[in-house]
Amino acid sequence: MVLRKPVATDGPAISGLIAACPPLDPNSAYCNLLQCTDFADSCIVAERGGGVVGWVSGYRPPTAPENFFVWQVAVSSAARGQRLAGRMIEALLARPAQAGVIHLTTTITDDNRASWALFQGLARRWGVRIEKTARFEEQAHFAGAHATELQARIGPLPTPAQS
């Protein structure tokens, strides 16, 4: 398994992986290309046998650069059960581009058990708290078309030597 920065030619494979991982919201192919190029320092691909089997996208919000926001996590069914998602997130956080990050944040719907298990497991592994608050409300922000997205805030993160 190779964990690496994405490149533009990974775009179609990433789009296919996301499509194969419901309940993830599909992004446009163009969005995935921008993530693979302009946001490559904050995204990661897991590759095995020449194919993309894992993807994590994220960024440091300009108004809160001490946070790293995980946008999307996708792991192919063939690569599940190997703690790949957690390893990809830890590899992302260890990059020089994430120096100074003290909290990991993400949004998750209440019923997404796999995502809650991932992020609660990371908080336990790192020995830090996870706080849950509503961020985007079903009615106010999605006009009833999407469940409320709860924000998970994990931290303060351990230094790389502690994790």
Side-chain angles (χ1 to χ4, degrees):
M1 187 87 61
V2 175
L3 303 181
R4 62 172 174 78
K5 287 183 184 180
V7 295
T9 53
D10 290 322
I14 290 165
S15 293
L17 176 62
I18 292 167
C21 294
L24 292 180
D25 291 330
N27 301 316
S28 70
Y30 187 71
C31 174
N32 290 337
L33 286 172
L34 289 173
Q35 289 177 318
C36 289
T37 56
D38 294 1
F39 293 91
D41 282 340
S42 60
C43 297
I44 193 165
V45 167
E47 185 177 46
R48 183 174 62 198
V52 172
V53 297
W55 164 251
V56 175
S57 60
Y59 62 94
R60 291 177 76 168
T63 58
E66 69 281 5
N67 295 331
F68 185 87
F69 181 84
V70 174
W71 180 348
Q72 210 163 37
V73 177
V75 175
S76 76
S77 58
R80 292 188 187 142
Q82 300 171 35
R83 222 181 65 73
L84 179 57
R87 291 189 349 240
M88 288 189 293
I89 290 169
E90 288 175 334
L92 268 174
L93 292 173
R95 288 182 181 166
Q98 275 52 268
V101 167
I102 56 173
H103 286 96
L104 182 73
T105 61
T106 193
T107 61
I108 310 168
T109 56
D110 196 43
D111 63 347
N112 189 333
R113 296 173 65 140
S115 288
W116 284 114
L118 167 63
F119 289 100
Q120 289 168 338
L122 286 171
R124 274 191 309 276
R125 174 173 154 69
W126 298 333
V128 298
R129 295 180 346 166
I130 183 169
E131 300 169 353
K132 189 189 315 188
T133 57
R135 177 151 183 204
F136 298 116
E137 300 281 345
E138 181 175 2
Q139 293 304 318
H141 300 108
F142 295 114
H146 184 65
T148 295
E149 290 277 347
L150 301 172
Q151 179 170 280
R153 183 174 183 258
I154 301 167
L157 300 180
T159 61
Q162 294 173 322
S163 60

